[in-house]
Structures are given as structure tokens and as C-alpha cells.
Amino acid sequence: MPAPAHEVPRLSVEDLFDSPVRAGAVISPDGTRMAYLAPWQGRLNVWVESLDSDEEARCVTADDNRSVHVFHWTDDPRWLLYEQDGDGDELWHVYRVDLTDPDAEAVDLTPFPGAMALGFDRVAARPGKASLHLNARNPVEFDLYELDIATGELTVLAQNPGQPAGWMRTPTGELYAQSLTADGDIELARWDASAEKLSPIATFDGADYPLGIQPFELTPDGTGVWMGSNRGSDRTRLVRFDLATGAEADVDSHPVFDLDTRRAVFPTLPSPLIRNPYTGALLGARYLGERQAVHALDPHFASVLRKVEQLSDGDLGAVSCDASGRRWIVGFVHDRDPGATYFYDHTTGESRLLHRPFPHLDPDTLAPMAPVTIPARDGLRLPAYLTLPVGVAPAGLPLVLLVHGGPWFRDSWGYHPVVQLLANRGYAVLQVNFRGSTGYGKAFLKAGIGELAGKMHDDLIDAVDWAVEQGYADRDRVALFGGSYGGYATLVGVTFTPDVFAAAIDSCGPSNLVTYLETLPEYARPGLVNNWYLYAGDPSDPEQAADLLARSPSSRVDEIRTPLMVVQGANDIRVVQAESDRIVDALRARGVDVEYMVKDNEGHGFVNPDNTIDMYRAADRFLARHLGGRPDTE
């Protein structure tokens, strides 16, 4: 049972936002070792440890500047790869580590200044090889390369002719490309190398896929693609697309839930498709509603799934297996027991806990996250999550409305350190999936078109009203807090409805939609047609630009009277620092006090623990001043 309020320990910001002791474990191809992330020199780095002996774990990367978050085993036990950018600039490079030589430095396999490596993918049919996209030739165009992992040799497989958004190569060497038509539809075409032209196979309505088709993964034999389709339906299901005929055949679906496509926004989240990474075999599919549902699509995996689901009452998170499918490492998503990770041997039935990322956190002191449904003023039902402080009467509480980014994303059940910090301080926390959020069907998604600073914002106000009417929240003590699109929504809140909120925190939020869209990286702009241009407007059209400006917080800065805190990464290439400077400068020119935190070594969202801790310490103090909470004073 949760502890009474007077017994609930006060969690420090470090308790919640410092690096995990271990996280992200992945089993090796031969099943004898695991690689995972753990601190070294104050940053997360990759460590390797035996699963069958007491041999001491070894740190195999040495980045003391910026935490590593993405790494890959290869089919050769000698090599491990990881990805890193520079201080948040999102210019990703792929590095190789020699596991047989502890003294050897990591080798940059994509050593092109100003270039970005994307779409790294090991090729099961080509041992020792991987494919990736690079814009080294032209910053706006990504070419397809094959990487020889051992030698570092890069071979151009296809040079971008000026329109593909993504390439695929089959095991037999055929090339396919996705591109956007002038109308924004998604076209899949076969590349004719001799004629150097694309031959269309199929076209998909781009408006149905604001972030592209997710998932979109080649079958092991190269004759088809497993993809998330909502063609002819409201929900996104799993189909097999035939590359020869263009036909779609249903593979699997859920009667209520969409496939979990959140990875389109956060690539570190698990794919909606669970596959054997060494054979490419399709094992299962993830669907997401209030909680996750996993459908096993392989008899062997069905048997494994029945066993591993007994290890935790959480949702299955990251999962990896050896090449044989015998040995597994599985992590779990849980609101109060985050990231518990287990080893499981399906041959012997052996299972054991490997680690908890935050062993100092007692699940009984953390606040449960409950799904709720909120009626919008026009009758639309808004899925949401409510987290209430442990051991406190759930009445008349200060409330923090936490707004997700995207907006083509969604809040979901699980452990969120910011939610736990706020609940630990005595705040109720409400996360509402406003119209335009993904994961709730095509109609719910498209209900956000044209509604920035309109009905999308009304949904947030309706959520506040609901929390007050239910008795959970004190109307005079409501704060708004969000990052990226959530930061924009926060600024909309204090400019369009300034009397609703007692405090607000904006992290890297656009303040002017016109300048925001005009300063996005050039390579990203062709992809805006089905998301920002469709949902908000195209700044190149004078009429639409005027509407974008009218929906921009910068056009109503004089309305701000809510205490405001602004957070920004100086290297943010998505929402450039000028977006935050604009609001802060305007307020300071009026003599209005505004807290402003800029970190020179961060980009779109903070990665390094010291910066994250600084941010949430400041947020903790800020909210305490304006909502009446008690901040961490350590």
C-alpha cells in the first residue's frame, strides 16, 4: 500500500533525473554477453558484461562530453557500433568500437563535417554490412550507402535524384525509394539504375501519415514490406505490401488500438514490430491504448511471451534475443517500477533480474498513473492520464497540466520522472491527448487540422475545467508545462488564455510559427507538407502566413501576465534560440520578470544529466513559488 503522506520520502531532483545505474541492455548475437548504458565520467556510455561468468563489466566507449543513447551489436563479435552527435546539433555520426582491443579509440565511420547519418540498418542477408543514409554530398539530399563494418568502406548504392525521402535495398540488390509528390502524397517507386529514374509502384494519401508511414520495414526475403496502414479504416493495422504487385494483405490488427508508432518521433523507443535482429523474422506487433497489447505472430515467440510476461505486471518494453531465439533480455515499462530488466533462457526456463535502472526508488513511494477520459466542449472524448500525490487527499490540489510535444505524438502509461517530481511535491499532474495526437485513429488525428491555438488549445482548457469540476484541482493554482510543441502550447496558454494559469514553463517552444517554419533545417522542409503545412499553414503563402502569425504567441506578448520560465538549448536546430529570445526580450522590455535558462551544449531537449538536473531544480523552485509547493532544498 502507498505510504501515508507524512511517511512519503521527499525525493531530490537528483533522485529522479540523474543517470540510471544501468539501462538499455541488449543481448549479443551469441547470447553470452550483454551491452548496456551506464555512467562513466558523468555521462552514459556503453558497457559490456558476460551473462555466464563473474567477469567484471567493461566500459567500451569513452565519451565524457555527451551521453550515448544508441548502440548496435554487429554479427561480428569484435565490433560494436554507437551513434553520437555534437552537443545536440543532431549531426549524427556512426562510431565503431573494437571489443578485442580495450585501448583502441573509437573510429568515426561517417567522418564528414556537417553531414548526418540516418536510418542505420544492419542487413541480415549481408553479414558484416549495414545500410545508412548520408547527406555528405548535398546537405538537402540523402544518398544510400552500404557500410563495410570491419573496413569502414562506404559504397554509394544510390544517389538521391532530388526527391526520395528514404531508400530501401533488398537482399538481391533491388532499390526502392519513398518520395513525396507535389500534392504531398507518399509514392513508393522502384529505382531503375540503368535509366536512373524511379518507376512508381503505389501511392498513399500523405494526409493520413503526417510523419510518414510507420512502420515500414523490409521483409527478410526482400519481396515485401511490413507497414502500418490505415487505408480504408480509421485504425492503423499491420499489412504486408507486395513490392511486385503493390497489393496490401492484412497481417494483424487490434479491434480498438492503433499500432504503437511513437518511434517515429523518438527513435530510442521500441519499434511496433518485434523482430529477430539477426534473421529479420517477424515475431510480434505492439499496439497501444491505455496500456500496451502485444500480439505474438510467431509460435516460438508466443511461447516466450507467455513466460516473460509473468516477470512483471508492467508492459513489455525493449526486448532482444540472440540469433537462435533461445536467450532473451526483456525490459518493462511501468509507472512505479521503471525499466526492470530480466534475462530469460527459453530452453532451460531460467530467468533472473539483471537490474533496475533506479534501484534507490521505492515503487511504494511513487505515484500511480491512472487513465481517464475527458469530454471536450464539442463532445470529442480526450484520452488522458491523471497522477495524484501519494497519501494526499485528492481534492483541491495544485495542478500541473503537462503537454506533450509533436504535436504528432501521444502521452502513454509508464514512468515519467517529471511526473513523479511534481506528484512528490504535492501537485496533481494531468496529461491530455488533445485532438491531433497520434495513436487514437485517423479521425482523431485529423481533428487537429487548422486547430493550433484553436480547438487543440480548447482541449487543454477543457481538461483544466474537468479537473476542477471533479474536485481534484484548485482553479487558482494551475500551471502549464511543456516542451517543443508542448512549449508552444504553453506560450499559447499564457497569451491566449492568460487568466487560466498561475505559472507556466516553456521548454524549446516556438513563439512565432512563421519564423519557426522558415528556420527549420533545409533538409527537413520537403517533409512539412503533410504535417505543419497541412495542420498549421505554409508561410510562403501570404494569407496562410498571416494566419500563422495570428496563432503565434509572439503576436500577443502584451497579454502575458502569468509568471513564466523559459528553457532553451543553444544548439537546437529545430526550434532555434531566437524563438525563446523573442519572448524573453519582449517581456523584459516591458519590465516583466521572466526566468530564462540557456544551455550552450544542448539541442532540442536536454541530454546531459547535469543540465537536466539544473533545469528541474529551477522548475521545482519556480512552481513552488507560484503554486505553493515545497521545493527540494538540498
Side-chain angles (χ1 to χ4, degrees):
M1 294 292 292
H6 66 277
E7 296 180 7
V8 174
R10 192 165 190 75
L11 298 173
S12 71
V13 172
E14 289 86 350
D15 286 335
L16 295 163
F17 292 97
D18 210 347
S19 294
V21 296
R22 293 189 176 198
V26 180
I27 199 166
S28 63
D30 62 5
T32 64
R33 296 174 293 172
M34 65 173 173
Y36 58 90
L37 300 173
W40 177 83
Q41 299 290 325
R43 299 290 184 260
L44 288 176
N45 275 270
V46 184
W47 296 64
V48 172
E49 182 176 323
S50 171
L51 285 167
D52 300 315
S53 73
D54 295 329
E55 181 182 341
E56 188 174 350
R58 180 163 63 91
C59 185
V60 300
T61 63
D63 195 326
D64 59 1
N65 178 61
R66 190 165 179 82
S67 291
V68 176
H69 283 103
V70 178
F71 64 88
H72 312 273
W73 283 107
T74 71
D75 47 44
D76 187 329
R78 179 177 178 180
W79 308 117
L80 183 139
L81 307 180
Y82 71 97
E83 299 179 34
Q84 186 60 287
D85 73 343
D87 288 335
D89 61 9
E90 300 191 41
L91 298 177
W92 298 101
H93 287 229
V94 178
Y95 294 84
R96 186 188 67 205
V97 175
D98 187 344
L99 298 181
T100 67
D101 187 353
D103 297 323
E105 292 187 0
V107 176
D108 186 352
L109 298 177
T110 54
F112 307 105
M116 174 188 297
L118 294 177
F120 177 89
D121 186 27
R122 288 170 301 178
V123 182
R126 291 180 61 77
K129 310 290 186 182
S131 64
L132 52 85
H133 295 73
L134 268 174
N135 61 344
R137 177 185 56 83
N138 182 332
V140 183
E141 297 175 358
F142 285 84
D143 302 325
L144 181 67
Y145 288 78
E146 182 171 73
L147 169 67
D148 185 300
I149 295 169
T151 67
E153 180 181 2
L154 284 164
T155 303
V156 178
L157 300 178
Q159 182 172 302
N160 194 317
Q163 54 180 336
W167 294 94
M168 292 189 312
R169 183 183 192 235
T170 71
T172 56
E174 290 185 297
L175 292 172
Y176 295 85
Q178 277 192 50
S179 59
L180 293 176
T181 69
D183 297 326
D185 289 333
I186 301 170
E187 186 176 83
L188 181 65
R190 183 180 294 107
W191 176 248
D192 185 338
S194 60
E196 294 189 344
K197 70 175 186 178
L198 293 167
S199 301
I201 301 172
T203 302
F204 306 91
D205 186 345
D208 292 345
Y209 306 95
L211 297 181
I213 301 172
Q214 298 287 335
F216 196 84
E217 300 183 16
L218 195 67
T219 60
D221 63 6
T223 63
V225 170
W226 289 307
M227 59 175 280
S229 175
N230 55 30
R231 194 195 295 267
S233 68
D234 187 56
R235 295 290 175 180
T236 299
R237 65 196 184 279
L238 178 61
V239 304
R240 183 189 183 279
F241 177 87
D242 190 290
L243 288 171
T245 66
E248 288 183 21
D250 287 349
V251 174
D252 189 57
S253 62
H254 190 282
V256 179
F257 301 165
D258 277 353
L259 277 171
D260 179 7
T261 59
R262 293 172 300 158
R263 195 184 192 196
V265 177
F266 288 104
T268 54
L269 291 173
S271 168
L273 304 186
I274 301 173
R275 301 178 65 177
N276 183 306
Y278 307 105
T279 67
L282 180 62
L283 307 179
R286 302 173 188 266
Y287 298 85
L288 191 61
E290 291 180 351
R291 295 276 300 269
Q292 179 184 251
V294 176
H295 289 183
L297 304 177
D298 169 89
H300 176 73
F301 180 67
S303 179
V304 170
L305 184 63
R306 284 193 295 270
K307 295 294 185 180
V308 299
E309 285 185 330
Q310 298 173 22
L311 299 174
S312 170
D313 61 350
D315 291 345
L316 188 69
V319 54
S320 62
C321 64
D322 63 8
S324 70
R326 169 194 163 194
R327 304 186 115 198
W328 298 75
I329 289 179
V330 295
F332 288 91
V333 174
H334 199 287
D335 58 347
R336 293 175 298 114
D337 187 13
T341 300
Y342 294 81
F343 168 79
Y344 170 68
D345 188 315
H346 193 58
T347 300
T348 66
E350 174 198 358
S351 64
R352 66 178 185 270
L353 177 69
L354 293 173
H355 60 259
R356 284 186 162 86
F358 306 99
H360 57 283
L361 295 178
D362 179 354
D364 288 340
T365 68
L366 299 180
M369 187 178 181
V372 296
T373 302
I374 297 170
R377 65 190 68 181
D378 63 358
L380 189 67
R381 295 176 65 78
L382 307 174
Y385 293 91
L386 177 67
T387 303
L388 297 170
V390 174
V392 176
L397 298 168
L399 171 73
V400 178
L401 184 64
L402 202 60
V403 187
H404 70 68
W408 304 281
F409 192 61
R410 56 157 289 175
D411 285 311
S412 54
W413 182 84
Y415 171 78
H416 304 282
V418 61
V419 171
Q420 294 300 333
L421 172 69
L422 297 169
N424 187 258
R425 299 303 188 255
Y427 309 125
V429 185
L430 186 58
Q431 299 164 272
V432 58
N433 285 305
F434 45 85
R435 70 192 68 207
S437 300
T438 56
Y440 297 100
K442 194 160 54 177
F444 191 89
L445 173 71
K446 290 186 173 182
I449 293 175
E451 296 299 340
L452 273 76
K455 291 181 180 179
M456 291 169 74
H457 182 62
D458 290 345
D459 290 347
L460 301 181
I461 302 302
D462 292 346
V464 171
D465 291 342
W466 173 87
V468 172
E469 291 164 4
Q470 296 295 311
Y472 295 120
D474 177 353
R475 185 176 292 280
D476 295 328
R477 293 188 295 162
V478 178
L480 191 55
F481 191 167
S484 194
Y485 172 84
Y488 163 79
T490 296
L491 295 175
V492 168
V494 299
T495 51
F496 285 69
T497 53
D499 295 331
V500 175
F501 301 103
I505 302 175
D506 151 42
S507 176
C508 58
S511 62
N512 183 316
L513 293 175
V514 174
T515 56
Y516 161 64
L517 292 171
E518 289 176 341
T519 54
L520 281 168
E522 195 173 356
Y523 63 79
R525 294 180 200 175
L528 298 177
V529 62
N530 293 321
N531 42 69
W532 281 103
Y533 291 171
L534 174 62
Y535 280 71
D538 183 346
S540 67
D541 179 305
E543 185 175 336
Q544 294 182 51
D547 185 59
L548 285 166
L549 187 60
R551 297 174 187 269
S552 296
S554 61
S555 67
R556 297 184 176 219
V557 173
D558 289 346
E559 298 294 324
I560 296 179
R561 46 188 176 270
T562 306
L564 178 64
M565 175 180 168
V566 178
V567 180
Q568 179 71 43
N571 295 321
D572 193 336
I573 65 168
R574 303 187 188 204
V575 180
V576 297
Q577 185 177 332
E579 293 295 317
S580 292
D581 289 346
R582 184 177 294 110
I583 286 288
V584 172
D585 292 346
L587 289 175
R588 288 178 175 171
R590 286 172 46 206
V592 177
D593 185 36
V594 56
E595 292 193 29
Y596 191 23
M597 177 181 288
V598 179
K599 292 295 184 180
D600 292 336
N601 61 343
E602 295 286 4
H604 195 63
F606 292 179
V607 168
N608 290 326
D610 48 352
N611 291 330
T612 305
I613 288 169
D614 280 353
M615 171 187 169
Y616 283 102
R617 274 183 182 153
D620 190 12
R621 293 191 296 266
F622 176 83
L623 291 172
R625 281 198 302 276
H626 300 292
L627 296 188
R630 296 181 301 116
D632 178 27
T633 56
E634 295 180 3

